[in-house]
């Protein structure tokens, strides 16, 4: 059921920590037994950057366990949305959680899930656009990793663009810094967007409860097993976004 994490050879090598084959987390952090799948109408596609390896605090696999209609893929690029899903679909019937500079707070709307155009402006006929969405694409990874997925998959330009305006910041708090106040974990974003699109508030409540259990479990284990703490990420100054201003995603 589980695999052992590799330990470096030597007298001081730490004991091997087994991992759950479902969520990929070390077994002391696994909460899979508490997750109940939800029957969702709107499909979810989670595309995870292969370097997103935060086993302790990542939520992509945990999110995928929560839904019946979900596809979770790890990689950098796919020829089309249909290839990523394994069946033929029209990308115009799908939306992607957009990573550009547009913010809901800057738009003239009282909605917290908004469809925008390529200029970052609010689309007309919001109710109809959101009602017709058949699936949502979420990009999982750090901010720079998610942007890399965007630039490597040109078919994403054919999808609708939606942005979120959460009332509260991510439950991550200080455990994992988000680059923007409206930045959410994958599980929080999935719960928020699908609950709004399907009109089922309990979906967001359930996913946030799972996320809170995960964080509580992490904090409880961290004190006695510091080896499970995520390693700080070094800033790569070879990357253009770390040397100059942020590049726009409006194209």
């Amino acid at each position: 059921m589980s695999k052992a994490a590799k330990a470096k050879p030597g007298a001081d090598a730490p004991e091997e920590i087994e991992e759950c084959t479902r969520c990929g987390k070390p077994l002391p952090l696994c909460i899979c037994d508490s997750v109940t799948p939800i029957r969702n109408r709107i499909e979810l596609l989670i595309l995870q950057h292969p370097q997103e390896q935060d086993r302790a605090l990542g939520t992509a696999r945990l999110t995928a366990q929560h839904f019946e209609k979900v596809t979770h893929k790890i990689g950098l690029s796919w020829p089309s949305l249909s290839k990523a899903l394994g069946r033929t679909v029209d990308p115009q019937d799908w939306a992607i959680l957009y990573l550009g500079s547009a913010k809901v707070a800057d738009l003239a709307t009282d909605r917290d899930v908004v469809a925008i155009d390529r200029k970052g402006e609010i689309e007309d006929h919001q109710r109809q656009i959101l009602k017709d969405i058949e699936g949502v694409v979420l990009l999982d990874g750090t901010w720079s990793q998610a942007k890399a997925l965007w630039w490597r998959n040109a078919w994403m330009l054919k999808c609708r663009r939606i942005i979120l305006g959460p009332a509260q910041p991510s439950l991550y708090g200080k455990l994992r810094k988000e680059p923007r106040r409206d930045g959410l974990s994958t599980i929080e974003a999935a719960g928020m967007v699908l609950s709004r699109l399907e009109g089922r508030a309990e979906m967001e409540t359930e996913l946030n409860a799972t996320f809170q259990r995960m964080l509580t479990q992490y904090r409880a284990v961290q004190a006695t097993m510091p080896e499970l703490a995520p390693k700080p990420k070094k800033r790569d100054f070879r990357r253009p976004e770390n040397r100059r201003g942020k590049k726009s995603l409006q194209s």
Side-chain angles (χ1 to χ4, degrees):
M1 175 181 174
S2 59
K3 60 182 179 180
K6 294 182 180 179
K8 294 181 180 179
D12 297 328
E15 293 184 4
E16 295 179 343
I17 302 176
E18 292 184 319
E19 297 177 357
C20 172
T21 55
R22 295 176 64 192
C23 67
K25 295 185 181 300
L27 286 182
L29 299 179
C30 175
I31 62 167
C32 290
D33 290 346
S34 68
V35 176
T36 302
I38 299 171
R39 180 172 295 178
N40 51 314
R41 174 177 58 85
I42 296 174
E43 192 169 355
L44 192 64
L45 172 62
I46 303 172
L47 300 180
Q48 183 179 359
H49 193 286
Q51 293 180 357
E52 170 55 283
Q53 298 174 352
D54 191 338
R55 298 183 303 143
L57 293 173
T59 64
R61 291 189 180 187
L62 197 59
T63 304
Q65 288 187 52
H66 253 299
F67 296 102
E68 292 185 359
K69 294 175 64 175
V70 63
T71 301
H72 173 218
K73 292 290 184 70
I74 301 174
L76 287 174
S77 63
W78 295 264
S80 66
L81 175 60
S82 295
K83 289 291 186 180
L85 289 169
R87 70 179 193 282
T88 302
V89 296
D90 186 344
Q92 294 184 1
D93 294 331
W94 280 62
I96 185 166
L97 192 57
Y98 188 58
L99 302 172
S101 58
K103 297 180 181 180
V104 171
D106 298 331
L107 302 175
T109 180
D110 57 356
R111 295 176 177 270
D112 54 9
V113 175
V114 180
I116 59 172
D117 60 21
R118 292 196 177 192
K119 296 180 179 179
E121 299 174 354
I122 188 169
E123 291 267 27
D124 294 330
H125 312 297
Q126 285 287 308
R127 184 183 299 274
Q128 189 62 46
I129 290 173
L130 297 179
K131 177 179 176 294
D132 291 342
I133 290 174
E134 296 180 359
V136 176
V137 181
L138 296 182
L139 306 181
D140 181 77
T142 64
W143 199 250
S144 61
Q145 289 168 356
K147 287 195 294 184
L149 290 172
W150 171 270
W151 290 116
R152 285 174 175 266
N153 294 275
W155 55 264
M156 293 182 184
L157 294 172
K158 300 177 182 179
C159 299
R160 293 282 189 179
R161 304 181 187 195
I162 54 177
I163 56 176
L164 306 181
Q168 303 294 331
S170 173
L171 292 174
Y172 268 135
K174 295 181 180 179
L175 287 177
R176 184 168 177 177
K177 186 178 180 182
E178 296 291 343
R180 290 172 23 169
R181 185 187 180 282
D182 57 352
L184 298 175
S185 65
T186 296
I187 195 168
E188 290 172 299
M192 181 175 180
V193 68
L194 291 193
S195 71
R196 301 303 189 276
L197 294 180
E198 296 201 15
R200 298 166 60 190
E202 68 274 12
M203 297 173 78
E204 182 178 25
T205 300
E206 187 167 342
L207 265 71
N208 283 348
T210 294
F211 188 36
Q212 187 62 70
R213 288 196 301 273
M214 188 199 88
L215 297 176
T216 299
Q217 182 80 353
Y218 172 79
R219 291 187 176 99
V221 171
Q222 185 184 27
T224 57
M225 304 183 70
E227 65 270 26
L228 295 181
K231 296 180 180 180
K233 295 180 174 62
K234 296 181 180 180
R235 189 174 184 184
D236 187 354
F237 288 97
R238 295 173 299 177
R239 298 184 65 84
E241 64 268 25
N242 289 336
R243 297 196 305 266
R244 300 188 294 272
K246 294 181 180 179
K247 188 174 182 180
S248 170
L249 290 178
Q250 297 297 335
S251 60

